[in-house]
Amino acid sequence: MLGAAQRMGGMTPAKACLLLSLPMVVLFWVGLESQGGFALGLEALVTPSFENVDELLLYYAWWPRLSIALLAGGGLGLAGVLMQQVLRNPLASPTTLGVASGANLALMTATLLAPGLLVVGREWVALSGGALAVGLVFLLSWRRGLAPVVVVLAGLVVNLYLGALSTALLLFNHEVLSGLLIWGAGSLAQNGWDGVASLAPRLAICGLAAWLLLRPLAVLELDDASAKSLGISLKHLRFAGLGLAVFITGSVVSVVGIIGFIGLAAPNIVRMAGARTLRARLLWSTLLGAVLLATTDLLLQRFSGMVATLIPTGAVTGALGAPLLMWLIPRLKLQGDRPPQATGVALTRHAAPHRLATGLLLALVAAMVVGHLVGQGANGWSIIAPTNWGVIEWRFPRVIAAAASGLMLAIAGTILQRLSANPMASPEVLGISGGCAIALILGIYLLPAPSNALLVAIGTLGALATLLVLVALNRKSGFVPERLLLSGVAISALFDAVRSVLLADGDPRGQHVIAWLAGSTYYVDVGSALLVGSIAAGLALVSLPFTRWLDIMPLGTATARSLGIGLNRARLALLLLVALLTACATLVVGPLSFIGLLAPHMARLLGFSRARQHLVGAALIGMLLMVLADWVGRQIMFPYEIPAGLVASLIGGAYFMWGLRRL
């Protein structure tokens, strides 16, 4: 970070803010000119004429929207500085720590179960959700002393987990919550001054509180031992700083929804521009956050007429913030940077692998039989006869599709974990599924009636492009596990932004996309199931000849080359196979299931250590988990269904949290 700041050529925070303010001033002037000119705009603000439609629009829509953008951006910039100072973590922000997602989920839950709470105060509901989310992040990362990377990774999994819960609520209550899609994506549209009147005094009080905490918080720049020697209670100080940041975030989210990455971008830009003291960072980050959000919103208003869909401002800031995070990752000095260890695939010996594999195969067969023959109906639980083709014809494609997708994700996760020597790697966590989903959603929206084969090709290209980005970002650092996972945070954020834009415009295809994103096998017919099953079986057989590479490559670059493996060719072939596996599985069960993380881990714990054994064990476990997830999703809330991918993500997300505590 210091090197990056020095390369900015002596730029000061004031100069950086002034330079970045110029586009806002130009867009401000152009926007007013398009509304009737600066004079009319100023007159509408000071002494509006309620008989003039143009002045009414300016007074009740344009000026409040600009004001709320400045307030929200400034508040998020302030919250970002507080979080980064308290955690000594340049990647901390309201979005990366899950605060915004927690606040959003709390508001959705209150809308459904206790709408009276929203009358009492939306910001208090949002504050409670954000506080619970950040508390969960702390619980996951406390064992590692709130290490910067572990905190952000905990924020990633909490974001994903809360997002899965939000998706579940949205699936069952789409009509009630459809209005929250636009708001939740960060819409700054206003129809009066109520939002400004609500947010301004709260931010003013929070700004004053931050100023009063300035000197105590500055002590956090020292190490813990030095700070404690001054007689300061670090626990209470951190609680105060984070509590203030969470309250600011909850207040902003309750008024305008989730605004991505302003709280990350503003503090890091002013830091690289030379703001070294906490006082300077608080001041200039607040100003720059206001400038960045207002500029983005004015730019969006300027060009929104060129597209037919409504684009929420928060989604745009998220899309712009993802490349910023990707740019920051290689430049960050993170404690504990280390290349992947040469080993990590051998575990304590358990029962003979072939016996374990036989047991898993029998369990899989039993699960598939249960999935076909056992279930609830109008008369309660029943076991149908195998000859009852009418029911089996409906259940058969779902069971086969779930098993096939579990097989492909498990193999992809196993390859990634062995290739990177990273036990937390998987298509979902590294953002490969998200990149694949972006390509698939764009294909669904932009192409007229695309075929399944075309969608698989598009998804494969998206997954491969994501893999290439991961390689480009992490090649110099030697694929350090923590940096690799942080790259997944950025790609997942980009996916969230694209999803928010496409789902916020009210397109009828949105409900279908939501169901697909949740991982529903409802739309799979017999022909598609047989095709997916055949592809999965074929790709599984294709992966077996690579087991020699997967045994040798975790031993290190020097060892692999001495044994005659061309690393570039081997990595490219394996990454291409991962891309194809991920694309085919994502097309069936959506981008988030965590099976690619969970199945290889469970296979290792059972003693499948060699590559061929590991692939077979993970494949059987992946199929078993997805078949069970599909069956549980169909039965647990009968006659309503929870998609298989969503059930798997809730189970896998919990496992990821457990695994993160052991990282």
Side-chain angles (χ1 to χ4, degrees), residues 318-355:
L320 296 176
L324 170 69
L325 183 54
M326 293 180 193
W327 181 79
L328 282 173
I329 287 168
R331 292 163 174 78
L332 291 172
K333 286 291 184 183
L334 302 174
Q335 294 180 356
D337 271 7
R338 62 192 186 281
Q341 298 300 312
T343 59
V345 293
L347 291 175
T348 305
R349 290 186 178 273
H350 294 262
H354 67 276
R355 294 182 182 176

Side-chain angles (χ1 to χ4, degrees), residues 34-333:
S34 66
Q35 298 284 338
F38 179 78
L40 179 65
L42 190 60
E43 181 182 345
L45 177 64
V46 179
T47 57
S49 171
F50 296 100
E51 298 177 357
N52 188 320
V53 176
D54 292 335
E55 291 191 25
L56 284 176
L57 289 174
L58 284 165
Y59 182 77
Y60 284 108
W62 197 87
W63 281 110
R65 180 165 181 163
L66 176 63
S67 302
I68 207 73
L70 292 169
L71 287 170
L76 291 173
L78 177 60
V81 173
L82 291 172
M83 288 182 174
Q84 292 180 14
Q85 179 71 12
V86 170
L87 298 175
R88 301 178 184 140
N89 183 348
L91 290 173
S93 75
T95 45
T96 56
L97 293 188
V99 179
S101 297
N104 185 47
L105 177 61
L107 287 166
M108 292 178 70
T109 305
T111 301
L112 293 172
L113 303 179
L117 292 177
L118 301 178
V119 179
V120 175
R122 294 164 61 101
E123 68 278 4
W124 297 110
V125 175
L127 173 63
S128 301
L132 289 174
V134 79
L136 183 56
V137 170
F138 278 16
L139 182 64
L140 295 175
S141 53
W142 194 266
R143 184 175 177 179
R144 288 284 298 272
L146 300 180
V149 175
V150 179
V151 169
V152 175
L153 294 179
L156 162 68
V157 70
V158 169
N159 263 323
L160 293 174
Y161 206 74
L162 297 182
L165 293 175
S166 298
T167 302
L169 291 178
L170 193 59
L171 273 174
F172 295 118
N173 306 276
H174 185 260
E175 293 184 2
V176 177
L177 298 176
S178 58
L180 287 175
L181 284 175
I182 299 175
W183 170 85
S187 174
L188 298 182
Q190 303 290 304
N191 57 5
W193 291 90
D194 292 343
V196 175
S198 171
L199 191 57
R202 291 182 173 86
L203 291 184
I205 294 172
C206 290
L208 178 60
W211 200 257
L212 293 176
L213 286 172
L214 194 60
R215 292 185 65 184
L217 287 175
V219 176
L220 293 176
E221 295 177 1
L222 304 173
D223 59 82
D224 286 2
S226 300
K228 288 178 180 178
S229 68
L230 298 176
I232 294 176
S233 172
L234 294 180
K235 183 183 298 184
H236 292 92
L237 185 56
R238 284 174 174 151
F239 180 80
L242 279 175
L244 185 58
V246 171
F247 180 77
I248 294 171
T249 304
S251 299
V252 172
V253 170
S254 68
V255 175
V256 298
I258 298 177
I259 304 293
F261 280 100
I262 295 296
L264 173 70
N268 278 292
I269 290 174
V270 298
R271 184 192 296 268
M272 288 188 290
R276 294 290 172 262
T277 66
L278 178 60
R279 183 189 301 270
R281 293 201 303 275
L282 281 175
L283 173 63
W284 295 113
S285 293
T286 303
L287 293 175
L288 185 58
V291 167
L292 290 176
L293 186 55
T295 303
T296 303
D297 191 53
L298 288 169
L299 187 65
L300 187 60
Q301 291 182 66
R302 179 65 181 166
F303 296 103
S304 60
M306 297 183 181
V307 292
T309 183
L310 174 65
I311 303 178
T313 306
V316 175
T317 60
L320 296 176
L324 170 69
L325 183 54
M326 293 180 193
W327 181 79
L328 282 173
I329 287 168
R331 292 163 174 78
L332 291 172
K333 286 291 184 183

